[in-house]
Amino acid sequence: MESQRNLLLIGLLFVSYLLYMEWIEYKNPTPEQPVVTQQQSSVPASTSANLSADVPAATGNTAQDVPAENNTAAHKRITLTSDTLNLVIDTIGGDIIEADLLQYPEVQDEPTPFKLLKNESGNTYIAQSGLIGQGPDSSPKGRPHYTTQADSFNIQEGQDSVSAELYFTTESGVRYVKVFTLTRGSYQVDIDYKVANQSANPVNLQLYGQLKQTIQPSGGSLVMPVYRGGAYSSPASDTRYKKYSFDDMKDGNLNVTTQGGYVAMLEHYFVSAFVPSETQSNELYSRVLSTGDATIGFKAPMQTVAAGSTADLSTTMWVGPKLQDEMAQVGKHLDLTVDYGWLWFIAQPLFQLLLFFQSIVSNWGVAIILVTFAVKGVMYPLTKAQYTSMAKMRLLQPKIQQLRDRYGEDRQKVSQGMMELYKKEKVNPLGGCLPILLQMPIFIALYWSLMESVELRHAPFFLWITDLSVQDPYYVLPILMGVSMFFIQKMSPTTVQDPMQAKIMQYMPVVFTFFFLWFPSGLVLYWLVSNLVTLLQQWMIFRALDKKGLGKDSK
């Protein structure tokens, strides 16, 4: 099997794979979002009506016993800021309606931070949490109007954490303190409820947390697919990680009871997730609302707080980039939201190798080059076997042609004769094909590891390559990749006699160059360096084969 056919096989396999993935998940583009300037904490929320009508029913309730909130109550917004996060919290309900990632700019080299959570007209993405319950004294019903002692809470020099406390007391005398805590250097948000029941009756409380987002299609393109939607983990059913898209939510509500677990909303490099206690049985759910929004959340077990006693209820959130090691410490299997697909067992080691090299050279582009050297080095025995097989197959072509001339249209006898010839000459006809097939999973795995790695977002290489996660703005790398592929073709031995097939092979570098124009520059860099290493390996292998009389120049 000659090199040109292998290149065609690579192209067909890779394009087919991407088309399949596009058809499954990434059929529609993400609509353009309006640019909204950051509002000050004293400005009312623009979609405040959406914050009140979506409280889940307590377990066992057949209907939501939730009165409408006081429409005359003003929506006060407070801010909670650490070195990594700036949260905006609405005092009605205590929902996180904005989350700015302070160390991740929206646009490269611009000061405006990336806004993960937002509460804009027609574009809601917020984190809601609260307490629901049963019985006349279960509280707080609806969305409580909390009070605070300040409008902003900022982490100070020398502090490891910062907290914001929200207060609410029912008419019956049950006092609630909702506490948000941020830790320096972390994207973890701790949410704690302190309940003091000073009423005459016990109260039944159930903690819930949910993520609400306006339903919209996954975005991206054929070569830059982006999943936008829900996900959950249910260890009790051996579901460590599973996507639950907006279409899935429309088809049917999520209804899973599991020990521990989590619920999440994904947005390419970023994720928000509620991670309840691993020691309790939680109900995971989703709902599609009439407002065009969807929620995915959890409900903890019901807890009774006796009259005159106190109780603490808590949950944890992650609001930030997909940082695998940090997320794994926050919640079991939360790191799997970095989705490498079905080749995760290859992609994860490749990413760890990439991290190792980057820690040495402090440049993600150079780290990709070193990963390429490592992969090509490991694959060298297969590459050598591939070209050796190709050379042997080329030497057998005259004898194969004789068989075809002898038996004419009798394909069965031609095939039998070829198999006997292969056996006699000790040639494996698949020897040139199998190595390239084994390399395809590595390429696809690396593709997804680069696509899912937030570390490469806005990561510069050198000169004009200032962001390895997007396409080369001047298309230099794709063109060089096409040129290198052309030279690989020229160096490879060929047995193609059909003029049409030969013409197709000639245009393969052009097709690949055009296709790679829109690939992330980090991936094109990998392919270019891989081609350059292949050229060097070809030269070494063919030089050795020439000495044995098997090379392309041998008579």
Side-chain angles (χ1 to χ4, degrees):
M1 182 79 63
E2 63 278 352
S3 178
Q4 286 86 349
R5 286 179 178 173
N6 288 338
L7 292 175
L8 180 60
L9 180 61
I10 292 176
L12 291 176
L13 286 174
F14 188 61
V15 173
S16 298
Y17 171 79
L18 290 178
L19 287 174
Y20 172 75
M21 296 302 295
E22 181 80 357
W23 179 69
I24 291 293
E25 296 185 42
Y26 314 115
K27 296 179 287 185
N28 300 306
T30 302
E32 290 188 10
Q33 303 298 339
V35 178
V36 180
T37 57
Q38 185 175 359
Q39 297 174 314
Q40 300 301 318
S41 61
S42 59
V43 180
S46 59
T47 55
S48 59
N50 291 343
L51 301 178
S52 59
D54 45 19
V55 176
T59 301
N61 281 3
T62 58
Q64 288 185 211
D65 182 19
V66 182
E69 69 175 52
N70 181 5
N71 292 326
T72 62
H75 282 258
K76 182 180 177 182
R77 304 171 76 184
I78 66 170
T79 60
L80 176 62
T81 307
S82 69
D83 60 327
T84 57
L85 283 171
N86 178 68
L87 305 182
V88 178
I89 302 169
D90 195 309
T91 55
I92 293 184
D95 299 333
I96 303 175
I97 59 174
E98 290 183 18
D100 295 328
L101 311 186
L102 301 180
Q103 297 183 8
Y104 289 84
E106 181 78 36
V107 179
Q108 190 174 18
D109 298 326
E110 294 291 335
T112 304
F114 181 81
K115 190 180 293 294
L116 180 57
L117 302 185
K118 61 195 71 175
N119 189 33
E120 302 164 354
S121 179
N123 185 19
T124 299
Y125 183 10
I126 61 176
Q128 300 177 298
S129 58
L131 299 174
I132 48 180
Q134 298 172 324
D137 290 319
S138 294
S139 182
K141 292 181 179 178
R143 309 313 308 279
H145 187 187
Y146 288 99
T147 60
T148 61
Q149 296 180 346
D151 292 339
S152 63
F153 302 84
N154 304 307
I155 196 166
Q156 301 299 320
E157 189 71 27
Q159 285 185 327
D160 293 330
S161 63
V162 60
S163 298
E165 295 186 348
L166 288 71
Y167 307 96
F168 177 78
T169 303
T170 67
E171 294 180 358
S172 59
V174 184
R175 177 176 171 81
Y176 298 89
V177 181
K178 187 174 186 178
V179 184
F180 292 89
T181 302
L182 300 180
T183 302
R184 183 179 296 276
S186 174
Y187 294 92
Q188 177 177 328
V189 183
D190 295 316
I191 304 175
D192 301 289
Y193 275 95
K194 300 176 182 179
V195 183
N197 183 9
Q198 301 302 319
S199 70
N201 300 304
V203 293
N204 302 309
L205 302 174
Q206 189 171 21
L207 175 65
Y208 76 91
Q210 65 181 21
L211 300 159
K212 184 174 73 171
Q213 187 170 179
T214 300
I215 295 176
Q216 50 189 296
S218 294
S221 62
L222 178 65
V223 296
M224 284 287 290
V226 176
Y227 175 75
R228 186 186 185 98
Y232 72 95
S233 176
S234 174
S237 57
D238 290 330
T239 304
R240 301 192 304 165
Y241 164 76
K242 184 176 180 61
K243 291 179 180 177
Y244 204 75
S245 68
F246 292 128
D247 287 338
D248 293 330
M249 297 179 194
K250 291 178 182 178
D251 293 338
N253 291 332
L254 175 66
N255 184 15
V256 173
T257 300
T258 184
Q259 190 83 7
Y262 63 77
V263 290
M265 284 284 191
L266 311 182
E267 184 178 327
H268 198 185
Y269 295 120
F270 306 98
V271 60
S272 60
F274 273 105
V275 185
S277 172
E278 294 182 1
T279 62
Q280 65 190 22
S281 179
N282 301 296
E283 300 176 43
L284 312 184
Y285 66 89
S286 70
R287 289 191 302 149
V288 176
L289 309 175
S290 60
T291 57
D293 301 328
T295 63
I296 185 168
F298 82 94
K299 290 186 285 188
M302 191 73 69
Q303 183 171 339
T304 299
V305 184
S309 65
T310 61
D312 295 322
L313 300 90
S314 62
T315 187
T316 300
M317 278 194 69
W318 176 273
V319 183
K322 293 180 178 179
L323 303 175
Q324 296 181 61
D325 293 341
E326 289 84 344
M327 288 192 297
Q329 296 176 6
V330 172
K332 189 176 182 180
H333 305 318
L334 186 59
D335 57 316
L336 297 184
T337 55
V338 181
D339 189 0
Y340 292 137
W342 60 280
L343 289 172
W344 58 268
F345 55 92
I346 301 176
Q348 283 186 342
L350 284 176
F351 178 71
Q352 293 301 320
L353 184 62
L354 186 66
L355 284 178
F356 170 74
F357 285 134
Q358 199 279 335
S359 66
I360 297 174
V361 298
S362 300
N363 184 295
W364 288 102
V366 177
I368 291 174
I369 293 174
L370 294 177
V371 167
T372 309
F373 289 156
V375 171
K376 295 297 289 185
V378 171
M379 299 297 292
Y380 178 74
L382 290 176
T383 302
K384 184 177 180 180
Q386 174 189 357
Y387 288 118
T388 302
S389 177
M390 288 164 54
K392 290 182 178 180
M393 287 291 294
R394 181 177 179 274
L395 292 178
L396 291 180
Q397 288 305 308
K399 296 182 180 181
I400 293 175
Q401 188 60 44
Q402 290 176 5
L403 289 173
R404 290 171 177 163
D405 293 340
R406 182 187 307 171
Y407 297 112
E409 298 297 325
D410 193 338
R411 296 185 177 181
Q412 182 176 359
K413 288 187 176 181
V414 172
S415 297
Q416 290 176 348
M418 290 173 62
M419 294 305 297
E420 291 175 359
L421 181 62
Y422 292 150
K423 184 176 181 180
K424 178 182 178 181
E425 299 293 338
K426 298 181 180 180
V427 173
N428 181 2
L430 298 179
C433 183
L434 288 177
I436 206 72
L437 289 178
L438 293 176
Q439 293 179 54
M440 279 304 297
I442 296 178
F443 174 76
I444 295 173
L446 185 64
Y447 169 80
W448 281 112
S449 65
L450 296 181
M451 282 290 300
E452 283 286 294
S453 300
V454 68
E455 289 84 356
L456 267 67
R457 182 180 184 266
H458 297 170
F461 178 34
F462 76 101
L463 298 178
W464 72 97
I465 304 297
T466 60
D467 187 349
L468 289 165
S469 67
V470 300
Q471 68 189 54
D472 184 338
Y474 303 113
Y475 307 115
V476 174
L477 291 180
I479 292 173
L480 291 176
M481 185 278 302
V483 171
S484 66
M485 185 175 289
F486 171 79
F487 281 107
I488 289 176
Q489 279 192 339
K490 286 297 182 181
M491 286 186 63
S492 300
T494 178
T495 60
V496 175
Q497 302 297 326
D498 180 65
M500 181 60 69
Q501 188 177 3
K503 203 74 170 176
I504 293 175
M505 296 306 173
Q506 282 183 342
Y507 282 101
M508 280 301 295
V510 177
V511 173
F512 266 69
T513 299
F514 179 79
F515 195 63
F516 271 64
L517 291 177
W518 293 275
F519 267 66
S521 54
L523 191 69
V524 183
L525 176 64
Y526 165 80
W527 192 276
L528 170 60
V529 176
S530 179
N531 282 353
L532 295 177
V533 175
T534 297
L535 284 170
L536 177 61
Q537 291 178 341
Q538 274 187 327
W539 179 80
M540 295 171 57
I541 293 170
F542 289 143
R543 186 179 180 185
L545 291 176
D546 282 338
K547 294 180 180 179
K548 297 179 181 179
L550 297 176
K552 58 180 289 188
D553 298 325
S554 300
K555 301 297 183 182

